[in-house]
Structures are given as C-alpha cells and as structure tokens.
Amino acid sequence: MSNRIERAFEGRKAFIPFLTCNDPDMALTLDLVLSMADAGSAVIELGIPFSDPIAEGPVIQKADERALQAGFKLTQFFSLVEQIRKFSNIPLVCMTYLNPVYHYGKERFLQEAGAAGLDGIIVPDLPYESRIELEQTCIDNNIQRINMIAPTSRQRICEVASHSKGFLYCVSSLGVTGMRTTLGDTARMMVEQAKQATNTPCAVGFGIHTEEQARVIAEFADGIIVGSAIVNLIAHYGHNSVKPVETYVRSMKKAITG
C-alpha cells in the first residue's frame, strides 16, 4: 500500500472528492484540488476526461465534454500532478479508462504518472480477470491499482477484496455515477463481505451527495467518495466555484467525522 494512501485512512474516516480535470480549465482544477485538500479531504480523485465514459452519469459526462472541448491533453494531467506536488502531499488517484492509457502507451502513461507523484489509478472498464494488463507496470512505478466491487460482484467480492491495495472502491448501487435519493443496504452488505477478506480500507462511492447519506455510509465504511455533487457545483459556479466547493467538502467531512 502506498504510504500516502495508507496514512489517509489511519484513525479517521476518509472523505474522497472527485473532479474532472480541465473543467473548465487546468488553472481552476489546481485551485480546487488545493482548496479541497485544505478543507480536510483525505484523498483526491482526478477524473481524466474521456469521450466515452461508460461508468459516468450525465453530470460527469457533460464535464468530460466541456473539458475535451476546452482542449484537454494527457500531458496537462501529468503537469497538474507535478504542480499539486509543489504545494501538497495529499494522496492523488486518477479515474481513467483503458483507451487513453493504451493510446498514450501504458508504460509511458504509468511512468510519467508515477514520476509526477500519482499514488493510485482506477480503471472501471478493466475487468478484474485482466488486471495483469496493468499490474506489473503499476508496481514498477509505485502506483496502486484500485480495485472496484459492485452489487453484481456477488461471490467474487471476497476474491477481489483479498487482492486489493490502496483502498477498495465499493460501488453503492447498480448503474452509473450520479446523485441518488436513496442508497439502500447494498453497500453495507458489500463492505461487510469485503472486510471478511481484507484489511484494505473500503470506500463507498456512486450516489452519495448529502450529509445524512455520508453519515450513514460512514457508520460501516472507511471512507466515502463524492463526485457528481462536486462536479455540479463546478458547472454551476464556474471560475467562482472554489469557495462553494470548499464549503461543501468541509460540511461532508464534518458529517463523517462528527
């Protein structure tokens, strides 16, 4: 487990915000990341814009479209991580898809990401059975490949959990990302099952956006991941979004830590 990610979960519930890089530009992305770090985030998830983000709901899909229309390039992502590292030691993980990684060259992608200071990578369209595709290159560059489990994982939950590093990303419900009114008990059951097989922290994402939802999830999970609610604020406030996002992060952090 990466030292930075490991420390993020020590003795506390971890709040993990997500945002899409270059929405609306990289300068604001940097400001938002540093502000969210100051507001108490434990880990920050950086979304790499992609034209076909199959795991994302409409809010993040639109953010990806805006970022790509604004001219996003992968080289900007590596530069962003380098810039963040000048000011903050907060753990950074990226959410991306196989296409950008392979189009850039997986060895080149992971080498540059690791050299810049990235701690982990989430690839939602990489089947668990195909994890060897990235496994060794991640290890070589000190990047944790974050496993995901979903309600459909069923009997494979323990197997996936037992091979997890960094943290285990637990998808709260079926479908794509997005804010939900209710979450049900699926996440609790997944986390309980996963913890039978691993000591790796379990963080729950997909659908969480209110303080009450965060409090409930934090009763059994080690962390919560929030994306669409934050991306929504950025879409609404644009270049004036730093303060609203910081206020939101502080409120969610307080909700899970009491």
Side-chain angles (χ1 to χ4, degrees):
M1 184 183 289
S2 156
N3 287 335
R4 278 193 286 248
I5 295 179
E6 182 178 290
R7 287 194 295 268
F9 289 87
E10 286 181 350
R12 62 171 175 168
K13 300 291 184 176
F15 181 72
I16 305 174
F18 166 97
L19 82 171
T20 301
C21 295
N22 204 48
D23 177 32
D25 58 45
M26 295 303 280
L28 181 63
T29 300
L30 175 61
D31 289 344
L32 285 164
V33 169
L34 297 178
S35 175
M36 292 191 296
D38 289 342
S41 300
V43 178
I44 292 179
E45 185 182 339
L46 303 168
I48 294 180
F50 181 48
S51 58
D52 189 24
I54 58 173
E56 312 298 354
V59 171
I60 297 177
Q61 285 182 15
K62 290 176 182 176
D64 280 10
E65 291 172 7
R66 291 191 297 268
L68 291 170
Q69 289 171 1
F72 173 80
K73 303 294 182 186
L74 265 177
T75 51
Q76 293 176 294
F77 170 73
F78 305 124
S79 296
L80 171 68
V81 175
E82 288 179 344
Q83 287 181 288
I84 295 169
R85 285 288 166 252
K86 293 177 182 178
F87 303 99
S88 176
N89 203 38
I90 191 166
L92 300 171
V93 301
C94 74
M95 168 79 86
T96 187
Y97 291 84
L98 281 173
N99 184 285
V101 173
Y102 274 89
H103 187 265
Y104 196 78
K106 70 174 184 179
E107 286 82 9
R108 180 185 173 202
F109 180 100
L110 291 164
Q111 285 170 2
E112 294 188 20
L118 189 73
D119 298 287
I121 184 171
I122 304 165
V123 187
D125 61 341
L126 175 67
Y128 174 71
E129 293 79 8
S130 302
R131 62 194 183 281
I132 194 170
E133 289 285 330
L134 299 180
E135 194 75 32
Q136 190 57 52
T137 312
C138 283
I139 293 171
D140 292 343
N141 292 284
N142 197 32
I143 294 175
Q144 299 293 343
R145 186 187 53 77
I146 308 299
N147 279 336
M148 302 181 79
I149 57 172
T152 52
S153 301
R154 297 174 183 170
Q155 69 270 18
R156 293 198 311 163
I157 288 176
C158 287
E159 180 186 354
V160 176
S162 67
H163 291 95
S164 60
K165 296 180 180 179
F167 64 87
L168 183 63
Y169 194 128
C170 305
V171 177
S172 67
S173 53
L174 294 173
V176 294
T177 58
M179 296 173 284
R180 290 169 171 77
T181 305
T182 58
L183 297 177
D185 293 326
T186 306
R188 183 187 297 270
M189 291 186 288
M190 280 195 301
V191 170
E192 289 175 351
Q193 190 173 346
K195 284 184 173 294
Q196 296 174 15
T198 186
N199 291 321
T200 301
C202 294
V204 176
F206 280 50
I208 304 167
H209 65 103
T210 70
E211 292 179 25
E212 180 57 30
Q213 288 173 333
R215 274 191 289 269
V216 171
I217 296 294
E219 290 176 1
F220 59 86
D222 301 298
I224 65 166
I225 303 166
V226 175
S228 293
I230 291 170
V231 173
N232 237 359
L233 287 172
I234 297 168
H236 180 75
Y237 289 100
H239 286 93
N240 297 314
S241 60
V242 172
K243 189 62 178 178
V245 168
E246 180 181 339
T247 299
Y248 177 79
V249 170
R250 289 189 187 278
S251 69
M252 294 294 275
K253 173 65 177 178
K254 184 177 179 181
I256 66 173
T257 59

